Amino acid sequence: MAKKNSTKDTEQSLSLFGKIRAIFKNETIHFVIGLVLVIFSVYLLLAFSSFFFTGAADQSIIDSGNAQELASTNNGVKNYAGSRGAQLASYLINDCFGISSFFILVFLAVAGLKLMRVRVVRLWKWFIGCSLLLVWFSVFFGFAFVEQYKDSFLYLGGMHGYNVSNWLVSQVGVPGVWMILLVTAICFLIYLSARTVIWLRRLFSLSFLKRKQKEEEEKGETPEEFTDSWTAKGKKRPVSVPDVADIKEEEAPVEIPEPIKEPENEITLDLGGVTETQPAKVSGEEVSMTIETPVPDPVPPFHEKAAEPVFEIEATENDDEYKGPEKEPYNPRLDLENYRYPTVDLMKHYDNAEPTIDMAEQNANKDKIINTLRSFGIEISTIKATVGPTVTLYEITPEQGVRISKIRGLEDDIALSLSALGIRIIAPIPGKGTIGIEVPNSNPKIVSGQSIIGSKKFQESTYDLPVALGKTITNEVFMVDLCKMPHMLVAGATGQGKSVGLNAIITSLLYKKHPAELKFVLVDPKKVEFSIYSVIEHHFLAKLPDGEDAIITDVTKVVQTLNSICVEMDTRYDLLKAAHVRNIKEYNEKFINRQLNPEKGHKFMPYIVVVIDEFGDLIMTAGKEVELPIARIAQLARAVGIHMIIATQRPTTNIITGTIKANFPARVAFRVSAMIDSRTILDRPGANQLIGRGDMLFLQGADPVRVQCAFIDTPEVAEITKFIAKQQGYPTAFYLPEYVGEDGGGNDLGDVDMGRLDPLFEDAARLIVIHQQGSTSLIQRKFAIGYNRAGRLMDQLEKAGIVGPAQGSKAREVLCVDDNDLQMRLNNLL
């Protein structure tokens, strides 16, 4: 009985705690608290201001008077805020921080406005800024006006500033204190704006030399120290940058001359690198066997930070082109200039990842292949083996007169003799006069993500969007450039490595790209595959303005997001057209060199990678609504830097339709159960003969490449995303443009109350008229407000006749031509 009562008491206490929490979360309570803070800050402002005029007269009363005298009505205090206001002003100004105590009022007012939801601010940033200014100005005034502490009733720096400045003078001297104040002020300005660094660089640059150089140029003379980097017209010459040479990880195979007195049916097992020869007997004849040990790719210790891109600055001959006021190239990474790339040690290291060769297994497989083919009357002249992480490729050269189709038909017989999980025959191998037989290893090795990401090939790659998938049979790191693919289809049965493959793709991009250069749109109908990436929302993720979660799981949101990406694609094409360029690379290069005017809507464009997991479920639930925008994006989005990766576990013709296959030339096939599924994905068999666990075929072009996918486990991804999330990010995720469906333009404006206009109404109206662009997302970005409030503002602007009705995915028409027209409409409203 006592146990039941204790349980009941616990439940009651929990419910009481929940009610208290609900009270403090109430929006009305927040508004009341915010209003109290604002009024209190006004009261303190009155007390502080009055203190400058009445402080001398009130000082003796406050210092000598007791609590009863100050509480009486005839206390003689002249401060406008009364005796309590005089006490607060005297304590905060004289006893604490001096006149810098006004920053306390600023923070209280800002906090109150945030709680009242009048302004959207980052409170922690205001707290840090006001606290630093409070302390800095207190020390500054205490140090600079220390002589006034003797004769004045007002201590400009307060006792805090006086004591701290005296201690600093005793430690570092008067010049040292000035230096400390200067350095801390510069650091604070850098904290407020990264552009401070640019201004300081200009300040410390040899500007007088440049002025002298200009004067001498006008006279026709050029100083010697500028002849190498400046032309006669004073414009910079193109900075030539040596290209990074592609470093091949696999050396050219060493050809061994054929011995003169060797039998014709010599069997060569080539495993790439160091050579070892052992005798082997086949049907009574002795043959030689050559084994080459693969040399693993050296892994650098750690990858601290990717190299900064080097931009080429050229003189522009066209006088009509825009030339920005800034001479330095625009740096898109400046907002997050302290961002550090993930390090390789965040990934797990596997001890058994190095390739090893089991000679007994290789000899046994070789003998079984030769004997099986001989039993069917097929003789071979040479055999060569290349050992990979999970599969060994045996290249055989048949004797003259043997038909290839006859060997291809013995696939099941060879698999039976080898007792293998499944073999794959490549007849013939493209570019070679041999036939390939791929046999699974009895002891497969794990291809770790650390060995791929840390490889020299990946670290030194110059791809725009490098994707490292794994290792080939020759133990070479397999990499592709997503920009050149430009879209990828990933398919395979459940549990064969599809999700791990998507992790490898996303992780590769996270290791090589800065948040300013890349954004992901992650669609996860299963709701659990991509949830681990939600912590990097403010760094790498993109979403709809009104989206709660950056990982899209709702089917209706998927349709809106894909249509929103189509709007973004159309907008980018308009910007490319205005800039007279053909693709995003040329556009960004122009923008970085400040040849495009941001006031005309130009902006730096990050790459957008759309990753859709379980595409089959979306097709079943949404059908054509999903397929049409996907097909449109796949057909057009390449030039504007939008790339798509879709994955499905049901590779059927009603899921992977002809439209999808036509627009997704790059395909990744993991193991499937039937040959018809392999033909659906790759237009050929082969995926049904894979061994699973990351074994895959990559097709882009004529022939597929067999790759063992890199294994990047969920805990490794968690460590990588946690490393990124701990760093400073953007205030919000990257907002995609708003999309209004065909039925979204007929909203009833009768319920819009023009008597209760939003406080931002006039500012929003002026913003729309200045930019001549009726876009809700523009209002969101400029005023840092939510989608719902921006939508209400747009409805009010429409009813006021400032913008026209919604036009589907297009921006609204702006009905006011200039500021005078807008002012007339605003006067009519008032």
Side-chain angles (χ1 to χ4, degrees):
M1 195 69 184
K3 188 175 181 181
K4 288 184 178 179
N5 289 336
S6 63
T7 305
K8 190 173 181 181
D9 294 341
T10 304
E11 291 177 354
Q12 288 179 351
S13 63
L14 288 174
S15 63
L16 180 63
F17 179 71
K19 289 178 180 178
I20 295 173
R21 263 178 51 188
I23 290 173
F24 280 101
K25 283 187 175 182
N26 192 317
E27 187 174 345
T28 305
I29 299 296
H30 284 182
F31 185 87
V32 172
I33 296 173
L35 184 62
V36 170
L37 288 176
V38 172
I39 294 174
F40 182 62
S41 65
V42 174
Y43 174 75
L44 285 179
L45 178 63
L46 184 65
F48 285 8
S49 303
S50 177
F51 182 76
F52 289 102
F53 306 103
T54 62
D58 295 340
Q59 193 70 29
S60 59
I61 301 174
I62 294 171
D63 292 342
S64 61
N66 55 33
Q68 290 182 351
E69 291 177 354
L70 291 174
S72 65
T73 54
N74 299 321
N75 50 30
V77 175
K78 296 182 179 181
N79 192 292
Y80 299 152
S83 61
R84 302 308 171 191
Q87 280 183 302
L88 280 171
S90 177
Y91 174 73
L92 290 174
I93 293 178
N94 280 348
D95 297 342
C96 291
F97 299 103
I99 62 174
S100 65
S101 299
F102 277 95
F103 289 110
I104 299 175
L105 314 188
V106 173
F107 177 73
L108 289 176
V110 169
L113 293 175
K114 179 178 175 62
L115 289 172
M116 294 169 68
R117 294 197 173 183
V118 176
R119 284 286 183 270
V120 178
V121 295
R122 297 164 72 181
L123 202 57
W124 64 269
K125 194 167 185 177
W126 276 90
F127 175 76
I128 294 174
C130 289
S131 301
L132 292 174
L133 290 171
L134 179 75
V135 174
W136 191 90
F137 276 103
S138 173
V139 176
F140 173 76
F141 285 120
F143 172 67
F145 302 97
V146 66
E147 297 298 330
Q148 293 188 2
Y149 277 75
K150 299 175 183 178
D151 304 324
S152 175
F153 79 95
L154 176 64
Y155 301 159
L156 293 178
M159 294 307 298
H160 167 269
Y162 177 77
N163 294 327
V164 172
S165 62
N166 283 342
W167 180 79
L168 286 174
V169 169
S170 69
Q171 300 298 312
V172 296
V174 173
V177 177
W178 281 116
M179 290 179 185
I180 290 173
L181 289 172
L182 178 63
V183 169
T184 51
I186 291 173
C187 291
F188 180 74
L189 290 175
I190 292 173
Y191 168 75
L192 287 181
S193 173
R195 299 193 64 81
T196 307
V197 177
I198 298 176
W199 297 334
L200 289 174
R201 284 173 182 163
R202 289 181 187 167
L203 181 64
F204 288 108
S205 64
L206 299 177
S207 56
F208 66 93
L209 286 178
K210 293 181 181 178
R211 284 197 298 270
K212 180 183 175 183
Q213 178 245 347
K214 276 189 177 180
E215 293 172 359
E216 291 181 353
E217 281 176 356
E218 291 174 359
K219 298 176 183 178
E221 299 177 0
T222 305
E224 293 182 2
E225 61 267 27
F226 292 102
T227 52
D228 291 334
S229 58
W230 293 77
T231 62
K233 292 183 179 180
K235 295 182 180 179
K236 290 188 179 181
R237 291 176 179 172
V239 181
S240 60
V241 182
D243 294 329
V244 180
D246 293 330
I247 300 175
K248 297 183 179 179
E249 295 186 2
E250 184 182 14
E251 295 183 356
V254 179
E255 294 184 2
I256 303 174
E258 185 178 355
I260 298 174
K261 296 183 179 180
E262 284 293 327
E264 292 183 358
N265 60 345
E266 179 185 34
I267 301 170
T268 305
L269 289 181
D270 185 2
L271 306 172
V274 180
T275 308
E276 180 182 352
T277 304
Q278 291 188 3
K281 289 187 177 182
V282 180
S283 65
E285 298 181 18
E286 187 180 79
V287 294
S288 64
M289 177 177 59
T290 305
I291 302 166
E292 297 182 2
T293 308
V295 180
D297 184 30
V299 180
F302 300 112
H303 172 216
E304 282 298 331
K305 185 169 183 180
E308 293 284 339
V310 181
F311 304 113
E312 182 174 317
I313 306 170
E314 297 184 0
T316 307
E317 297 297 335
N318 187 5
D319 294 334
D320 297 332
E321 246 184 78
Y322 170 76
K323 298 176 183 178
E326 304 288 345
K327 293 183 180 179
E328 294 188 6
Y330 171 75
N331 183 7
R333 304 182 181 187
L334 200 59
D335 291 337
L336 300 181
E337 61 179 345
N338 297 321
Y339 175 79
R340 292 191 301 121
Y341 291 76
T343 54
V344 178
D345 61 329
L346 296 171
M347 292 186 171
K348 186 178 178 181
H349 175 72
Y350 292 89
D351 294 330
N352 64 338
E354 296 299 326
T356 56
I357 298 174
D358 186 351
M359 282 306 306
E361 178 185 355
Q362 301 307 320
N363 283 326
N365 288 343
K366 177 221 17 165
D367 292 340
K368 289 175 182 177
I369 290 173
I370 292 174
N371 291 332
T372 302
L373 293 175
R374 183 165 289 163
S375 65
F376 287 95
I378 299 173
E379 296 291 337
I380 60 174
S381 56
T382 60
I383 182 169
K384 173 183 174 182
T386 306
V387 180
T390 57
V391 175
T392 299
L393 172 65
Y394 294 91
E395 295 182 47
I396 62 173
T397 305
E399 293 283 2
Q400 291 291 333
V402 177
R403 298 181 63 181
I404 293 177
S405 59
K406 189 174 181 181
I407 299 177
R408 192 184 290 119
L410 298 176
E411 189 172 78
D412 294 335
D413 298 285
I414 297 173
L416 178 64
S417 67
L418 294 173
S419 303
L421 182 62
I423 69 166
R424 175 172 169 260
I425 292 182
I426 310 169
I429 295 177
K432 296 183 179 181
T434 57
I435 296 172
I437 303 175
E438 294 176 344
V439 180
N441 296 336
S442 58
N443 185 23
K445 303 298 180 184
I446 295 176
V447 176
S448 65
Q450 188 185 59
S451 65
I452 301 298
I453 300 297
S455 65
K456 190 175 182 181
K457 183 175 183 179
F458 181 79
Q459 296 293 331
E460 297 183 355
S461 72
T462 56
Y463 291 162
D464 293 319
L465 290 177
V467 173
L469 292 174
K471 285 187 177 181
T472 61
I473 290 178
T474 57
N475 283 293
E476 181 184 359
V477 174
F478 184 78
M479 281 181 58
V480 290
D481 189 355
L482 186 59
C483 284
K484 295 180 180 178
M485 295 167 69
H487 311 288
M488 187 188 301
L489 171 65
V490 182
T494 305
Q496 302 304 319
K498 201 165 59 278
S499 297
V500 175
L502 292 178
N503 282 340
I505 293 170
I506 297 173
T507 303
S508 299
L509 296 172
L510 291 179
Y511 265 90
K512 289 291 282 187
K513 304 305 289 184
H514 190 275
E517 302 166 344
L518 173 67
K519 301 296 175 185
F520 287 101
V521 176
L522 301 180
V523 179
D524 183 15
K526 290 193 284 190
K527 303 182 181 181
V528 294
E529 293 295 341
F530 293 149
S531 60
I532 197 167
Y533 295 103
S534 60
V535 295
I536 58 173
E537 174 180 342
H538 291 183
H539 295 83
F540 282 100
L541 299 190
K543 66 176 184 179
L544 291 172
D546 59 341
E548 295 180 2
D549 298 325
I551 311 298
I552 304 159
T553 56
D554 186 9
V555 176
T556 58
K557 291 289 184 184
V558 173
V559 177
Q560 293 180 22
T561 303
L562 292 175
N563 285 302
S564 175
I565 294 171
C566 290
V567 176
E568 173 74 12
M569 178 182 71
D570 294 335
T571 304
R572 290 189 172 197
Y573 267 112
D574 292 338
L575 293 177
L576 260 63
K577 177 183 176 183
H580 304 292
V581 294
R582 297 181 60 188
N583 54 54
I584 186 175
K585 196 169 183 180
E586 295 175 5
Y587 178 90
N588 282 341
E589 185 177 351
K590 258 192 164 184
F591 188 84
I592 286 169
N593 291 329
R594 300 190 183 274
Q595 297 172 1
L596 300 174
N597 190 353
E599 294 180 0
K600 293 185 178 180
H602 291 292
K603 58 186 179 180
F604 181 83
M605 296 183 191
Y607 287 101
I608 297 177
V609 177
V610 185
V611 185
I612 303 177
D613 193 18
E614 201 38 66
F615 177 67
D617 185 67
L618 295 181
I619 290 293
M620 289 182 62
T621 51
K624 293 292 183 184
E625 293 183 26
V626 169
E627 187 177 354
L628 290 177
I630 285 180
R632 188 161 182 264
I633 293 169
Q635 289 170 356
L636 297 174
R638 173 181 184 173
V640 291
I642 301 175
H643 305 276
M644 183 169 287
I645 301 168
I646 62 174
T648 180
Q649 65 181 3
R650 292 203 312 274
T652 56
T653 52
N654 60 333
I655 303 296
I656 305 177
T657 60
T659 305
I660 297 297
K661 290 176 68 174
N663 293 298
F664 284 77
R667 301 172 200 166
V668 173
F670 291 88
R671 187 184 182 188
V672 294
S673 55
M675 184 186 295
I676 186 66
D677 294 338
S678 177
R679 291 187 181 277
T680 304
I681 306 168
L682 304 173
D683 297 323
R684 70 197 71 199
N688 55 311
Q689 298 161 331
L690 300 175
I691 61 174
R693 298 178 62 83
D695 191 17
M696 70 181 195
L697 291 174
F698 176 83
L699 175 67
Q700 186 183 14
D703 300 292
V705 179
R706 191 163 186 173
V707 179
Q708 178 62 38
C709 184
F711 180 67
I712 302 178
D713 204 3
T714 304
E716 297 177 71
V717 179
E719 288 296 321
I720 295 167
T721 54
K722 191 187 300 181
F723 179 87
I724 296 173
K726 285 181 180 178
Q727 304 183 56
Q728 179 188 359
Y730 296 101
T732 62
F734 180 83
Y735 283 142
L736 297 170
E738 62 173 328
Y739 171 76
V740 181
E742 294 179 358
D743 57 345
N747 294 331
D748 185 15
L749 297 176
D751 56 347
V752 178
D753 186 4
M754 299 302 289
R756 299 175 59 186
L757 293 176
D758 192 283
L760 294 175
F761 177 78
E762 288 192 27
D763 295 335
R766 297 187 191 283
L767 176 72
I768 293 296
V769 172
I770 289 171
H771 287 81
Q772 287 293 304
Q773 181 183 355
S775 169
T776 306
S777 58
L778 175 65
I779 297 176
Q780 281 183 268
R781 291 196 306 272
K782 294 297 183 182
F783 297 112
I785 60 176
Y787 179 79
N788 295 330
R789 186 180 179 187
R792 287 194 298 270
L793 272 168
M794 191 60 72
D795 291 339
Q796 292 175 358
L797 292 170
E798 181 182 350
K799 193 164 185 179
I802 297 171
V803 298
Q807 302 176 9
S809 59
K810 297 181 180 179
R812 295 170 183 252
E813 181 184 1
V814 182
L815 303 179
C816 293
V817 293
D818 55 16
D819 194 61
N820 294 330
D821 189 7
L822 172 64
Q823 194 60 47
M824 291 177 60
R825 293 178 188 266
L826 293 178
N827 293 336
N828 293 335
L829 282 177
L830 300 176

